């Protein structure tokens, strides 16, 4: 009977050791990296020469959250697209009067998060590069050629987010964001992009 008791005690101690190790792995370095992914609607703010329709935004990122710290750091790749109608002013990069503007944001910066049980909210400020891509048409007697013109400039993003945690490391997210236009074109009063995205954030393990 004593042998069986020792065996049972050994099994219990071993199980506890494995559970503690597994818990430590779960809360290790990998649990500090989150991968937010969201899709949403883009509203290009007023521009006196180009008239934009509602567009599409795709948000992807990598976020690092230190242990027991409300501050975090996030890198984002955001892709924004909007259809436009232009008066083809001289300052424009494109001669396409009805087309699509594609803007890619490569930005990084700090944020601050507050969480109470399942509910979380955060504020985020990022800076980096903005790449604008237009189509341009040229032609001759043999036909037409469509090329893509790109312009890279400084970018900035302000965002706030609301989170609902379904599990410890998985949350549904809603994020409004503002991308101001930091480089004004001659004759343009474009004020940038305003987006509203929904999606999720989670760790890999």
């Amino acid at each position: 009977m004593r042998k069986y008791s020792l065996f049972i005690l050994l099994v219990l101690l071993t199980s506890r050791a494995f559970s503690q190790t597994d818990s430590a792995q779960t809360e290790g370095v990998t649990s500090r990296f989150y991968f937010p992914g969201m899709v949403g609607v883009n509203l290009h703010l007023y521009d006196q020469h180009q008239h934009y329709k509602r567009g599409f935004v795709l948000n992807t990122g990598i976020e690092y959250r230190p242990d027991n710290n409300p501050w975090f750091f996030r890198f984002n790749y955001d892709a924004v697209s909007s259809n436009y109608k232009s008066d083809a002013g001289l300052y424009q990069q494109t001669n396409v009067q009805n087309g699509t503007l594609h803007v890619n944001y490569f930005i990084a910066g700090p944020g601050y998060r507050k969480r109470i049980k399942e509910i979380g909210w955060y504020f985020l400020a990022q800076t980096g590069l903005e790449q604008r891509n237009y189509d341009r048409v040229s032609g001759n007697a043999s036909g037409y050629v469509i090329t893509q013109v790109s312009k890279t400039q400084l970018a900035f993003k302000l965002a706030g987010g609301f989170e609902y945690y379904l599990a410890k490391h998985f949350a549904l997210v809603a994020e409004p964001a503002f991308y101001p236009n930091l480089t004004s074109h001659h004759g343009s009063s474009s004020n940038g992009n305003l987006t509203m995205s929904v999606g999720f954030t989670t760790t890999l393990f």
Side-chain angles (χ1 to χ4, degrees):
M1 184 68 179
R2 183 178 299 177
K3 291 182 181 180
Y4 290 114
S5 299
L6 290 174
F7 177 77
I8 293 172
L9 180 61
L10 180 62
V11 170
L12 291 174
L13 291 174
T14 304
S15 300
R16 182 176 179 182
F18 273 107
S19 64
Q20 289 177 343
T21 302
D22 191 46
S23 176
Q25 290 177 347
T26 302
E27 298 302 319
V29 175
T30 56
S31 66
R32 301 174 195 168
F33 286 92
Y34 283 73
F35 297 86
M38 291 170 278
V39 295
V41 176
N42 169 57
L43 177 63
H44 192 104
L45 300 181
Y46 178 75
D47 189 313
Q48 67 184 26
H49 287 281
Q50 291 192 164
H51 308 283
Y52 290 89
K53 298 179 181 179
R54 286 196 184 100
F56 173 81
V57 58
L58 171 67
N59 305 100
T60 60
I62 301 175
E63 180 179 308
Y64 177 73
R65 304 183 187 182
D67 285 339
N68 302 317
N69 194 324
W71 293 94
F72 63 92
F73 187 86
R74 184 190 290 182
F75 168 81
N76 262 84
Y77 165 67
D78 296 344
V80 177
S81 63
S82 295
N83 293 329
Y84 68 87
K85 183 177 181 181
S86 173
D87 66 1
L90 294 177
Y91 75 94
Q92 299 288 4
Q93 297 172 273
T94 177
N95 57 3
V96 179
Q97 293 188 9
N98 290 276
T100 303
L101 168 66
H102 301 280
V103 186
N104 299 317
Y105 293 93
F106 304 89
I107 47 180
Y112 182 86
R113 173 179 282 101
K114 186 71 174 179
R115 179 178 170 183
I116 301 176
K117 296 183 179 180
E118 293 85 9
I119 305 298
W121 59 92
Y122 61 86
F123 298 98
L124 178 67
Q126 296 171 293
T127 187
L129 295 177
E130 169 188 332
Q131 183 184 65
R132 291 173 167 252
N133 301 302
Y134 288 95
D135 290 328
R136 178 179 289 173
V137 177
S138 59
N140 50 41
S142 62
Y144 295 92
V145 176
I146 300 177
T147 56
Q148 192 172 80
V149 181
S150 295
K151 177 180 175 60
T152 301
Q153 62 188 46
L154 186 65
F156 187 69
K157 175 184 178 181
L158 288 173
F162 303 92
E163 301 170 324
Y164 181 75
Y165 285 83
L166 300 176
K168 187 172 184 179
H169 298 298
F170 181 87
L172 301 178
V173 183
E175 182 184 283
F178 173 53
Y179 306 80
N181 184 12
L182 299 181
T183 304
S184 297
H185 301 290
H186 175 67
S188 172
S189 57
S190 174
N191 291 322
N193 295 288
L194 184 66
T195 65
M196 180 62 196
S197 305
V198 294
F200 65 91
T201 184
T202 186
T203 61
L204 291 179
F205 303 101

